[in-house]
Amino acid sequence: MDPVRYDVQDRIAVITVANPPVNALSHAVRAGLWDAMARFGDDDAADIAVILGDGRLFIGGADISEFGKPPVDPWLPEVVNRIEACAKPVVAAIHGTALGGGLEVALGCHYRLAVPGTKLGLPEVSLGILPGAGGTQRTPRLVGLAAAAKMITGGVPVSAETALEMGLIDRLGEGDVRAAGRAYAEDLLAQGAGPRPTGARDVAGADLSDLRADLERKARGQVAPLTALDAVEAAARLPFEEGLAEERRLFRHLMDTPQRAGLIHAFFAERAVSKLPGIADVAPRDVADVAVIGGGTMGSGIATSALLAGLRVTLVERDGDAAEKARATVAKNLDTAETRGKLDAASRAAMSFDAVTDYAALSDADLAIEAVFESMEVKREVFGRLDAVMKPGAILATNTSYLDVDTIAAATSRPADVIGLHFFSPAHIMKLLEVVVADATAPEVIATAFALAKRMGKIAVRAGVCDGFIGNRILSHYRTAADHMVLDGASPYQIDRAIRGFGFAMGPYQVSDLAGLDIGYATRQRKAADAHPRDRVPTFADALYHAGRLGQKSGAGYYDYSEDRKGREDPEAARLIAEARTGERSFTDAEIVRRYMAAMINEAARVVEDGIAARPLDVDVVFLHGYGFPRHRGGPMHWADAQGLDRILADIRAFAEDDDHFWRPAPLLERLVAEGADFASLNRKADT
Ligand code: 3HC
């Protein structure tokens, strides 16, 4: 089918972009728009043109899959300039979404209409680039420099109503976008309106220093937002043509950065995680009623998340008091969602939620998610009870973070219906969901888990059964590498600083303080009990724990929180740690990062090799959404490829000279290096 259609009726030319699924501005679309503008220019039967998108949206932006490849004529900036230069008026009629290059096409038009429900935005910075088809120069001419700078450096879309208020669009249409666009064109013809190039407008200067300071503070190594601000500022400093040239220069510079490659990898990886060969054509089961077992922080968070997705929820607790407490926690979570504008009063009133003590109330539930205490005995008992009351075809899920889902499934008469749904805390906020597939789990049950995740606004990643699944298994390994550095002489404060310097929001010891050293205590006991004779078991966390330093909740852990939640370095913690040390050597920040990352990549390679993660990209998505990995680095596996796997392996071998038990190279890593291959090659192989 032609990606750009042209038809004329009653002196109005309608130019329709039809390139499913998102009408991206691929080469064929750019060429089609170019030709359509030429045709309209010569068409004596048409006095005005309306550009619109076919299907559910206007235009989703430039074709991201073409990035990194040699550009092919006509380039998008030329197409937009050509629209703007048209001697007859051109209207953009926008519905659904106009993002990036899509909005830039609209900015090149002389008049803009959008229907309610439309989102308009310039999200390029989230891909590590900036609007490169005139967006940084035309937006300020319509909405002013400050509003344009905010929109472009933040990348967050605005509603049609806000766009109208800002001056980004001229009119709100009603109903069908084609009819609304034609009606607007008729009005314009009746008014005798002519072309109105955005580039011919003036733009007043504005002081953007506060915004710049704010972006610098939040950047954590990201370059695109500040470079985008440079481009917007050029709009006030330079004539239009020169501003466009400056935008192009900065755009090209960003296109060549590893950050752009990392962010675009993240974009496609997030969409690839749900594409699994085993469930491609499998229809999910219907889920409307959800049961949650356990009303602690996790259970209440899961219940909140399900309610926000419009599901009916019944929560089961041990006794009336616990049920009441769970009810209060869910209500508080929903209050916060309402305050933050994520929930409106009408939707809240329509929610169906109850907290009960009798399992019999679950007989109609389509799916149960267990979130009780992490004990195999307790979980098996819960699953036995669920098996007895739940209807045939219902799904029984466990939120365990490390227990064997096969063993839990064996407590039921229906292991094919049992699956792990590992939410991350707080469950109604964190986007990651590990879908843990046990030996007997039916494909239909896996497909249902992915469909449910989508409905809940989560990003689901398939994981196999092992201690810690994908994320926590890898975390446990690199956390150990950090602990070894502390044992050898590094301060946890230096490690946290180095890891933040890499781009993580928090260092590992800040995370311990946030989670609570009591939470880690059980895990540490379990690990110490299972330890290999050559494992180095650090004791400083327990020393802090026994001193009553439980982290933020007790006012002190690794850090002192007596003044605020940010925490300060604490001499008493440092003394307890020093007592547990076995060495006195110093580390540079760079070495800390190399050891931390090498441990992460090494264990991640084993996780891929063991089939716990389907592909390296699944590991990347787990770390981007569950562990605060800096998005502009693409995820650990993408980052490792960018460093060169040979370098990572050389580091592991060098570290092994002191400890060849911990630093055993993953066979997959050795094989990839020997073959001159990378993790990305395994992502591609999984595609074919
Ligand atoms: N280019 C290429 N493919 C794209 C794309 C794009 N701009 N946007 C989406 N796709 C693909 C997705 O990869 C996905 O492919 P798949 O089905 O094979 O997995 C498919 O389109 C559907 O995408 P979603 O699942 O994300 O669909 P949704 O309906 O949930 O969302 C959307 C639609 C809001 C348009 C969302 O896809 C999105 O945010 N896309 C990116 C928008 C963007 O960042 N645009 C700016 C691009 S950069 C630019 O324009 C540069 C310019 O300034 C020069």
Side-chain angles (χ1 to χ4, degrees), residues 21-22 24 56-57 60-65 67 76 99-101 104 123-124 127 129-132 251 267-268 271 275:
V22 300
R56 61 196 169 98
L57 49 78
D63 187 339
I64 304 172
S65 63
F67 288 6
L76 189 58
L99 290 179
E104 290 174 298
E124 282 87 343
L127 299 171
I129 54 173
L130 51 77
F251 177 81
F267 178 87
F268 285 117
R271 283 157 180 80
K275 294 189 183 108

PDB file of all heavy atoms in Angstrom, residues 21-22 24 56-57 60-65 67 76 99-101 104 123-124 127 129-132 251 267-268 271 275, ligand 1:
ATOM      1  N   PRO A  21       2.892   0.389  12.088  1.00  0.00           N
ATOM      2  CA  PRO A  21       1.854   0.648  13.086  1.00  0.00           C
ATOM      3  C   PRO A  21       1.791   2.099  13.572  1.00  0.00           C
ATOM      4  O   PRO A  21       0.766   2.497  14.110  1.00  0.00           O
ATOM      5  CB  PRO A  21       2.273  -0.267  14.257  1.00  0.00           C
ATOM      6  CG  PRO A  21       3.762  -0.380  14.135  1.00  0.00           C
ATOM      7  CD  PRO A  21       4.072  -0.296  12.670  1.00  0.00           C
ATOM      8  N   VAL A  22       2.868   2.903  13.406  1.00  0.00           N
ATOM      9  CA  VAL A  22       2.839   4.232  14.036  1.00  0.00           C
ATOM     10  C   VAL A  22       3.080   5.357  13.027  1.00  0.00           C
ATOM     11  O   VAL A  22       3.395   6.479  13.408  1.00  0.00           O
ATOM     12  CB  VAL A  22       3.835   4.336  15.227  1.00  0.00           C
ATOM     13  CG1 VAL A  22       3.506   3.318  16.309  1.00  0.00           C
ATOM     14  CG2 VAL A  22       5.284   4.205  14.789  1.00  0.00           C
ATOM     15  N   ALA A  24       5.540   5.928  11.163  1.00  0.00           N
ATOM     16  CA  ALA A  24       6.897   6.485  11.308  1.00  0.00           C
ATOM     17  C   ALA A  24       7.369   7.027   9.964  1.00  0.00           C
ATOM     18  O   ALA A  24       6.990   6.533   8.898  1.00  0.00           O
ATOM     19  CB  ALA A  24       7.855   5.421  11.822  1.00  0.00           C
ATOM     20  N   ARG A  56      -4.510   4.820  14.117  1.00  0.00           N
ATOM     21  CA  ARG A  56      -4.790   5.339  15.462  1.00  0.00           C
ATOM     22  C   ARG A  56      -4.020   6.584  15.841  1.00  0.00           C
ATOM     23  O   ARG A  56      -4.192   7.116  16.932  1.00  0.00           O
ATOM     24  CB  ARG A  56      -4.583   4.239  16.497  1.00  0.00           C
ATOM     25  CG  ARG A  56      -3.181   3.698  16.528  1.00  0.00           C
ATOM     26  CD  ARG A  56      -3.106   2.378  17.265  1.00  0.00           C
ATOM     27  NE  ARG A  56      -1.813   1.767  17.053  1.00  0.00           N
ATOM     28  CZ  ARG A  56      -0.811   1.852  17.912  1.00  0.00           C
ATOM     29  NH1 ARG A  56      -0.954   2.501  19.040  1.00  0.00           N
ATOM     30  NH2 ARG A  56       0.338   1.276  17.636  1.00  0.00           N
ATOM     31  N   LEU A  57      -3.123   7.051  14.980  1.00  0.00           N
ATOM     32  CA  LEU A  57      -2.376   8.255  15.353  1.00  0.00           C
ATOM     33  C   LEU A  57      -1.919   9.042  14.131  1.00  0.00           C
ATOM     34  O   LEU A  57      -1.978   8.561  12.999  1.00  0.00           O
ATOM     35  CB  LEU A  57      -1.175   7.908  16.243  1.00  0.00           C
ATOM     36  CG  LEU A  57      -0.212   6.792  15.827  1.00  0.00           C
ATOM     37  CD1 LEU A  57       0.750   7.263  14.763  1.00  0.00           C
ATOM     38  CD2 LEU A  57       0.588   6.340  17.033  1.00  0.00           C
ATOM     39  N   GLY A  60       4.190   8.930  14.541  1.00  0.00           N
ATOM     40  CA  GLY A  60       4.939   8.606  15.771  1.00  0.00           C
ATOM     41  C   GLY A  60       6.356   9.131  15.784  1.00  0.00           C
ATOM     42  O   GLY A  60       7.066   8.969  16.771  1.00  0.00           O
ATOM     43  N   GLY A  61       6.828   9.719  14.679  1.00  0.00           N
ATOM     44  CA  GLY A  61       8.174  10.288  14.671  1.00  0.00           C
ATOM     45  C   GLY A  61       9.013   9.754  13.532  1.00  0.00           C
ATOM     46  O   GLY A  61       8.515   9.022  12.664  1.00  0.00           O
ATOM     47  N   ALA A  62      10.290  10.125  13.559  1.00  0.00           N
ATOM     48  CA  ALA A  62      11.229   9.583  12.587  1.00  0.00           C
ATOM     49  C   ALA A  62      11.273   8.070  12.769  1.00  0.00           C
ATOM     50  O   ALA A  62      10.885   7.567  13.825  1.00  0.00           O
ATOM     51  CB  ALA A  62      12.613  10.175  12.838  1.00  0.00           C
ATOM     52  N   ASP A  63      11.717   7.347  11.756  1.00  0.00           N
ATOM     53  CA  ASP A  63      11.803   5.898  11.866  1.00  0.00           C
ATOM     54  C   ASP A  63      13.084   5.545  12.626  1.00  0.00           C
ATOM     55  O   ASP A  63      14.183   5.618  12.082  1.00  0.00           O
ATOM     56  CB  ASP A  63      11.803   5.261  10.473  1.00  0.00           C
ATOM     57  CG  ASP A  63      11.715   3.750  10.559  1.00  0.00           C
ATOM     58  OD1 ASP A  63      12.059   3.196  11.629  1.00  0.00           O
ATOM     59  OD2 ASP A  63      11.307   3.124   9.565  1.00  0.00           O
ATOM     60  N   ILE A  64      12.900   5.171  13.888  1.00  0.00           N
ATOM     61  CA  ILE A  64      14.061   4.958  14.767  1.00  0.00           C
ATOM     62  C   ILE A  64      14.931   3.810  14.257  1.00  0.00           C
ATOM     63  O   ILE A  64      16.142   3.802  14.476  1.00  0.00           O
ATOM     64  CB  ILE A  64      13.586   4.679  16.213  1.00  0.00           C
ATOM     65  CG1 ILE A  64      12.704   5.834  16.700  1.00  0.00           C
ATOM     66  CG2 ILE A  64      14.747   4.506  17.162  1.00  0.00           C
ATOM     67  CD1 ILE A  64      12.027   5.584  18.029  1.00  0.00           C
ATOM     68  N   SER A  65      14.316   2.850  13.559  1.00  0.00           N
ATOM     69  CA  SER A  65      15.121   1.712  13.101  1.00  0.00           C
ATOM     70  C   SER A  65      16.103   2.125  12.010  1.00  0.00           C
ATOM     71  O   SER A  65      17.027   1.388  11.690  1.00  0.00           O
ATOM     72  CB  SER A  65      14.212   0.580  12.612  1.00  0.00           C
ATOM     73  OG  SER A  65      13.464   1.030  11.500  1.00  0.00           O
ATOM     74  N   PHE A  67      18.008   4.790  12.366  1.00  0.00           N
ATOM     75  CA  PHE A  67      19.101   5.526  13.017  1.00  0.00           C
ATOM     76  C   PHE A  67      20.378   4.689  12.993  1.00  0.00           C
ATOM     77  O   PHE A  67      20.349   3.483  13.188  1.00  0.00           O
ATOM     78  CB  PHE A  67      18.766   5.863  14.475  1.00  0.00           C
ATOM     79  CG  PHE A  67      17.716   6.928  14.625  1.00  0.00           C
ATOM     80  CD1 PHE A  67      17.051   7.443  13.522  1.00  0.00           C
ATOM     81  CD2 PHE A  67      17.393   7.426  15.871  1.00  0.00           C
ATOM     82  CE1 PHE A  67      16.078   8.414  13.658  1.00  0.00           C
ATOM     83  CE2 PHE A  67      16.423   8.398  16.025  1.00  0.00           C
ATOM     84  CZ  PHE A  67      15.759   8.889  14.925  1.00  0.00           C
ATOM     85  N   LEU A  76      14.369  14.408   6.558  1.00  0.00           N
ATOM     86  CA  LEU A  76      13.154  14.971   7.157  1.00  0.00           C
ATOM     87  C   LEU A  76      13.180  16.512   7.229  1.00  0.00           C
ATOM     88  O   LEU A  76      12.169  17.154   6.917  1.00  0.00           O
ATOM     89  CB  LEU A  76      12.920  14.343   8.538  1.00  0.00           C
ATOM     90  CG  LEU A  76      11.574  14.685   9.165  1.00  0.00           C
ATOM     91  CD1 LEU A  76      10.412  14.272   8.271  1.00  0.00           C
ATOM     92  CD2 LEU A  76      11.442  14.017  10.533  1.00  0.00           C
ATOM     93  N   LEU A  99       4.515  12.754  17.704  1.00  0.00           N
ATOM     94  CA  LEU A  99       5.748  12.790  18.486  1.00  0.00           C
ATOM     95  C   LEU A  99       6.952  13.044  17.594  1.00  0.00           C
ATOM     96  O   LEU A  99       6.989  12.600  16.439  1.00  0.00           O
ATOM     97  CB  LEU A  99       5.950  11.460  19.212  1.00  0.00           C
ATOM     98  CG  LEU A  99       4.989  11.133  20.359  1.00  0.00           C
ATOM     99  CD1 LEU A  99       5.317   9.774  20.964  1.00  0.00           C
ATOM    100  CD2 LEU A  99       5.038  12.200  21.445  1.00  0.00           C
ATOM    101  N   GLY A 100       7.940  13.727  18.150  1.00  0.00           N
ATOM    102  CA  GLY A 100       9.209  13.924  17.465  1.00  0.00           C
ATOM    103  C   GLY A 100       9.011  14.491  16.074  1.00  0.00           C
ATOM    104  O   GLY A 100       8.325  15.506  15.878  1.00  0.00           O
ATOM    105  N   GLY A 101       9.575  13.790  15.087  1.00  0.00           N
ATOM    106  CA  GLY A 101       9.458  14.224  13.700  1.00  0.00           C
ATOM    107  C   GLY A 101       8.011  14.401  13.275  1.00  0.00           C
ATOM    108  O   GLY A 101       7.713  15.209  12.387  1.00  0.00           O
ATOM    109  N   GLU A 104       7.139  17.700  14.325  1.00  0.00           N
ATOM    110  CA  GLU A 104       7.907  18.646  13.498  1.00  0.00           C
ATOM    111  C   GLU A 104       7.259  18.829  12.119  1.00  0.00           C
ATOM    112  O   GLU A 104       7.270  19.932  11.566  1.00  0.00           O
ATOM    113  CB  GLU A 104       9.358  18.173  13.374  1.00  0.00           C
ATOM    114  CG  GLU A 104      10.103  18.320  14.706  1.00  0.00           C
ATOM    115  CD  GLU A 104      11.499  17.747  14.678  1.00  0.00           C
ATOM    116  OE1 GLU A 104      11.619  16.522  14.456  1.00  0.00           O
ATOM    117  OE2 GLU A 104      12.469  18.509  14.840  1.00  0.00           O
ATOM    118  N   PRO A 123       9.928  13.934  22.207  1.00  0.00           N
ATOM    119  CA  PRO A 123      10.588  13.078  23.192  1.00  0.00           C
ATOM    120  C   PRO A 123      12.030  12.698  22.819  1.00  0.00           C
ATOM    121  O   PRO A 123      12.606  11.803  23.413  1.00  0.00           O
ATOM    122  CB  PRO A 123       9.705  11.821  23.170  1.00  0.00           C
ATOM    123  CG  PRO A 123       9.226  11.741  21.761  1.00  0.00           C
ATOM    124  CD  PRO A 123       9.107  13.161  21.262  1.00  0.00           C
ATOM    125  N   GLU A 124      12.608  13.380  21.822  1.00  0.00           N
ATOM    126  CA  GLU A 124      13.912  12.954  21.309  1.00  0.00           C
ATOM    127  C   GLU A 124      14.979  12.768  22.377  1.00  0.00           C
ATOM    128  O   GLU A 124      15.804  11.867  22.282  1.00  0.00           O
ATOM    129  CB  GLU A 124      14.415  13.947  20.248  1.00  0.00           C
ATOM    130  CG  GLU A 124      13.759  13.797  18.883  1.00  0.00           C
ATOM    131  CD  GLU A 124      12.459  14.584  18.746  1.00  0.00           C
ATOM    132  OE1 GLU A 124      11.875  14.988  19.779  1.00  0.00           O
ATOM    133  OE2 GLU A 124      12.012  14.781  17.601  1.00  0.00           O
ATOM    134  N   LEU A 127      15.719   9.507  23.629  1.00  0.00           N
ATOM    135  CA  LEU A 127      16.448   8.613  22.726  1.00  0.00           C
ATOM    136  C   LEU A 127      17.897   9.089  22.553  1.00  0.00           C
ATOM    137  O   LEU A 127      18.616   8.620  21.672  1.00  0.00           O
ATOM    138  CB  LEU A 127      15.768   8.564  21.350  1.00  0.00           C
ATOM    139  CG  LEU A 127      14.329   8.045  21.327  1.00  0.00           C
ATOM    140  CD1 LEU A 127      13.704   8.245  19.950  1.00  0.00           C
ATOM    141  CD2 LEU A 127      14.282   6.575  21.708  1.00  0.00           C
ATOM    142  N   ILE A 129      18.903  12.054  21.548  1.00  0.00           N
ATOM    143  CA  ILE A 129      19.092  13.038  20.468  1.00  0.00           C
ATOM    144  C   ILE A 129      18.267  14.288  20.771  1.00  0.00           C
ATOM    145  O   ILE A 129      17.799  14.459  21.895  1.00  0.00           O
ATOM    146  CB  ILE A 129      18.720  12.448  19.078  1.00  0.00           C
ATOM    147  CG1 ILE A 129      17.302  11.864  19.104  1.00  0.00           C
ATOM    148  CG2 ILE A 129      19.731  11.402  18.654  1.00  0.00           C
ATOM    149  CD1 ILE A 129      16.781  11.419  17.749  1.00  0.00           C
ATOM    150  N   LEU A 130      18.108  15.160  19.792  1.00  0.00           N
ATOM    151  CA  LEU A 130      17.242  16.329  19.950  1.00  0.00           C
ATOM    152  C   LEU A 130      16.383  16.431  18.703  1.00  0.00           C
ATOM    153  O   LEU A 130      16.684  15.796  17.688  1.00  0.00           O
ATOM    154  CB  LEU A 130      18.080  17.588  20.188  1.00  0.00           C
ATOM    155  CG  LEU A 130      19.234  17.931  19.252  1.00  0.00           C
ATOM    156  CD1 LEU A 130      18.780  18.518  17.929  1.00  0.00           C
ATOM    157  CD2 LEU A 130      20.169  18.931  19.925  1.00  0.00           C
ATOM    158  N   PRO A 131      15.300  17.206  18.769  1.00  0.00           N
ATOM    159  CA  PRO A 131      14.456  17.333  17.577  1.00  0.00           C
ATOM    160  C   PRO A 131      15.317  17.860  16.426  1.00  0.00           C
ATOM    161  O   PRO A 131      15.905  18.937  16.545  1.00  0.00           O
ATOM    162  CB  PRO A 131      13.391  18.350  18.005  1.00  0.00           C
ATOM    163  CG  PRO A 131      13.366  18.275  19.495  1.00  0.00           C
ATOM    164  CD  PRO A 131      14.777  17.987  19.907  1.00  0.00           C
ATOM    165  N   GLY A 132      15.406  17.082  15.366  1.00  0.00           N
ATOM    166  CA  GLY A 132      16.373  17.417  14.322  1.00  0.00           C
ATOM    167  C   GLY A 132      15.744  17.869  13.022  1.00  0.00           C
ATOM    168  O   GLY A 132      16.410  17.984  12.003  1.00  0.00           O
ATOM    169  N   PHE A 251      22.453  17.956  16.363  1.00  0.00           N
ATOM    170  CA  PHE A 251      21.739  16.686  16.159  1.00  0.00           C
ATOM    171  C   PHE A 251      22.719  15.599  15.691  1.00  0.00           C
ATOM    172  O   PHE A 251      22.752  14.486  16.218  1.00  0.00           O
ATOM    173  CB  PHE A 251      20.636  16.894  15.117  1.00  0.00           C
ATOM    174  CG  PHE A 251      19.858  15.651  14.760  1.00  0.00           C
ATOM    175  CD1 PHE A 251      18.823  15.201  15.567  1.00  0.00           C
ATOM    176  CD2 PHE A 251      20.145  14.936  13.595  1.00  0.00           C
ATOM    177  CE1 PHE A 251      18.099  14.067  15.235  1.00  0.00           C
ATOM    178  CE2 PHE A 251      19.424  13.796  13.256  1.00  0.00           C
ATOM    179  CZ  PHE A 251      18.393  13.367  14.086  1.00  0.00           C
ATOM    180  N   PHE A 267      14.971   1.275  24.013  1.00  0.00           N
ATOM    181  CA  PHE A 267      13.639   1.413  23.411  1.00  0.00           C
ATOM    182  C   PHE A 267      13.202   0.098  22.738  1.00  0.00           C
ATOM    183  O   PHE A 267      12.110  -0.415  22.992  1.00  0.00           O
ATOM    184  CB  PHE A 267      13.657   2.554  22.375  1.00  0.00           C
ATOM    185  CG  PHE A 267      12.353   2.761  21.653  1.00  0.00           C
ATOM    186  CD1 PHE A 267      11.363   3.577  22.192  1.00  0.00           C
ATOM    187  CD2 PHE A 267      12.096   2.142  20.428  1.00  0.00           C
ATOM    188  CE1 PHE A 267      10.153   3.769  21.527  1.00  0.00           C
ATOM    189  CE2 PHE A 267      10.896   2.321  19.761  1.00  0.00           C
ATOM    190  CZ  PHE A 267       9.919   3.141  20.311  1.00  0.00           C
ATOM    191  N   PHE A 268      14.061  -0.451  21.900  1.00  0.00           N
ATOM    192  CA  PHE A 268      13.668  -1.672  21.189  1.00  0.00           C
ATOM    193  C   PHE A 268      13.676  -2.901  22.109  1.00  0.00           C
ATOM    194  O   PHE A 268      12.842  -3.789  21.968  1.00  0.00           O
ATOM    195  CB  PHE A 268      14.541  -1.890  19.950  1.00  0.00           C
ATOM    196  CG  PHE A 268      14.164  -0.957  18.817  1.00  0.00           C
ATOM    197  CD1 PHE A 268      15.047  -0.016  18.327  1.00  0.00           C
ATOM    198  CD2 PHE A 268      12.902  -1.015  18.252  1.00  0.00           C
ATOM    199  CE1 PHE A 268      14.691   0.852  17.296  1.00  0.00           C
ATOM    200  CE2 PHE A 268      12.516  -0.153  17.220  1.00  0.00           C
ATOM    201  CZ  PHE A 268      13.424   0.783  16.740  1.00  0.00           C
ATOM    202  N   ARG A 271      10.504  -3.392  23.947  1.00  0.00           N
ATOM    203  CA  ARG A 271       9.422  -3.934  23.127  1.00  0.00           C
ATOM    204  C   ARG A 271       9.685  -5.391  22.746  1.00  0.00           C
ATOM    205  O   ARG A 271       8.765  -6.143  22.472  1.00  0.00           O
ATOM    206  CB  ARG A 271       9.223  -3.058  21.887  1.00  0.00           C
ATOM    207  CG  ARG A 271       8.486  -1.793  22.269  1.00  0.00           C
ATOM    208  CD  ARG A 271       8.685  -0.630  21.350  1.00  0.00           C
ATOM    209  NE  ARG A 271       7.928   0.521  21.829  1.00  0.00           N
ATOM    210  CZ  ARG A 271       8.328   1.332  22.812  1.00  0.00           C
ATOM    211  NH1 ARG A 271       9.489   1.130  23.408  1.00  0.00           N
ATOM    212  NH2 ARG A 271       7.572   2.340  23.196  1.00  0.00           N
ATOM    213  N   LYS A 275       8.199 -10.454  23.137  1.00  0.00           N
ATOM    214  CA  LYS A 275       8.109 -11.287  21.923  1.00  0.00           C
ATOM    215  C   LYS A 275       8.855 -12.593  22.162  1.00  0.00           C
ATOM    216  O   LYS A 275      10.064 -12.662  22.018  1.00  0.00           O
ATOM    217  CB  LYS A 275       8.706 -10.542  20.737  1.00  0.00           C
ATOM    218  CG  LYS A 275       7.883  -9.330  20.404  1.00  0.00           C
ATOM    219  CD  LYS A 275       8.320  -8.681  19.112  1.00  0.00           C
ATOM    220  CE  LYS A 275       7.506  -7.445  18.876  1.00  0.00           C
ATOM    221  NZ  LYS A 275       8.236  -6.211  19.051  1.00  0.00           N
TER     222      LYS A 275
HETATM  223  N1  3HC B   1      10.267   4.340  14.552  1.00  0.00           N
HETATM  224  C1  3HC B   1      10.256   3.022  14.266  1.00  0.00           C
HETATM  225  N2  3HC B   1       9.464   2.138  14.901  1.00  0.00           N
HETATM  226  C2  3HC B   1       8.662   2.598  15.859  1.00  0.00           C
HETATM  227  C3  3HC B   1       8.626   3.959  16.218  1.00  0.00           C
HETATM  228  C4  3HC B   1       9.469   4.850  15.511  1.00  0.00           C
HETATM  229  N3  3HC B   1       9.475   6.154  15.761  1.00  0.00           N
HETATM  230  N4  3HC B   1       7.728   4.118  17.202  1.00  0.00           N
HETATM  231  C5  3HC B   1       7.217   2.905  17.459  1.00  0.00           C
HETATM  232  N5  3HC B   1       7.771   1.987  16.642  1.00  0.00           N
HETATM  233  C6  3HC B   1       7.437   0.571  16.558  1.00  0.00           C
HETATM  234  C7  3HC B   1       7.723  -0.172  17.853  1.00  0.00           C
HETATM  235  O1  3HC B   1       9.056  -0.622  17.901  1.00  0.00           O
HETATM  236  C8  3HC B   1       6.730  -1.296  17.783  1.00  0.00           C
HETATM  237  O2  3HC B   1       7.247  -2.248  16.911  1.00  0.00           O
HETATM  238  P1  3HC B   1       6.931  -3.809  17.126  1.00  0.00           P
HETATM  239  O3  3HC B   1       5.438  -3.933  17.049  1.00  0.00           O
HETATM  240  O4  3HC B   1       7.688  -4.473  16.068  1.00  0.00           O
HETATM  241  O5  3HC B   1       7.443  -4.080  18.509  1.00  0.00           O
HETATM  242  C9  3HC B   1       5.533  -0.667  17.085  1.00  0.00           C
HETATM  243  O6  3HC B   1       6.030   0.479  16.398  1.00  0.00           O
HETATM  244  C10 3HC B   1       4.430  -0.229  18.020  1.00  0.00           C
HETATM  245  O7  3HC B   1       5.008   0.581  19.025  1.00  0.00           O
HETATM  246  P2  3HC B   1       4.478   0.535  20.521  1.00  0.00           P
HETATM  247  O8  3HC B   1       4.338  -0.874  20.981  1.00  0.00           O
HETATM  248  O9  3HC B   1       5.347   1.454  21.316  1.00  0.00           O
HETATM  249  O10 3HC B   1       3.021   1.153  20.324  1.00  0.00           O
HETATM  250  P3  3HC B   1       2.173   2.041  21.300  1.00  0.00           P
HETATM  251  O11 3HC B   1       0.854   2.190  20.672  1.00  0.00           O
HETATM  252  O12 3HC B   1       2.267   1.522  22.696  1.00  0.00           O
HETATM  253  O13 3HC B   1       2.876   3.483  21.308  1.00  0.00           O
HETATM  254  C11 3HC B   1       3.976   5.386  20.353  1.00  0.00           C
HETATM  255  C12 3HC B   1       2.945   4.256  20.141  1.00  0.00           C
HETATM  256  C13 3HC B   1       3.467   6.327  21.446  1.00  0.00           C
HETATM  257  C14 3HC B   1       4.139   6.129  19.050  1.00  0.00           C
HETATM  258  C15 3HC B   1       5.290   4.745  20.836  1.00  0.00           C
HETATM  259  O14 3HC B   1       5.632   3.731  19.942  1.00  0.00           O
HETATM  260  C16 3HC B   1       6.454   5.689  20.915  1.00  0.00           C
HETATM  261  O15 3HC B   1       6.602   6.401  21.891  1.00  0.00           O
HETATM  262  N6  3HC B   1       7.305   5.669  19.871  1.00  0.00           N
HETATM  263  C17 3HC B   1       8.504   6.490  19.848  1.00  0.00           C
HETATM  264  C18 3HC B   1       8.171   7.923  19.618  1.00  0.00           C
HETATM  265  C19 3HC B   1       9.415   8.738  19.464  1.00  0.00           C
HETATM  266  O16 3HC B   1      10.310   8.675  20.286  1.00  0.00           O
HETATM  267  N7  3HC B   1       9.437   9.544  18.418  1.00  0.00           N
HETATM  268  C20 3HC B   1      10.577  10.377  18.155  1.00  0.00           C
HETATM  269  C21 3HC B   1      11.458   9.667  17.222  1.00  0.00           C
HETATM  270  S1  3HC B   1      12.981  10.514  16.967  1.00  0.00           S
HETATM  271  C22 3HC B   1      12.605  11.708  15.845  1.00  0.00           C
HETATM  272  O17 3HC B   1      11.487  11.859  15.462  1.00  0.00           O
HETATM  273  C23 3HC B   1      13.788  12.483  15.362  1.00  0.00           C
HETATM  274  C24 3HC B   1      13.403  13.702  14.615  1.00  0.00           C
HETATM  275  O18 3HC B   1      13.437  14.795  15.475  1.00  0.00           O
HETATM  276  C25 3HC B   1      14.324  13.957  13.478  1.00  0.00           C
END
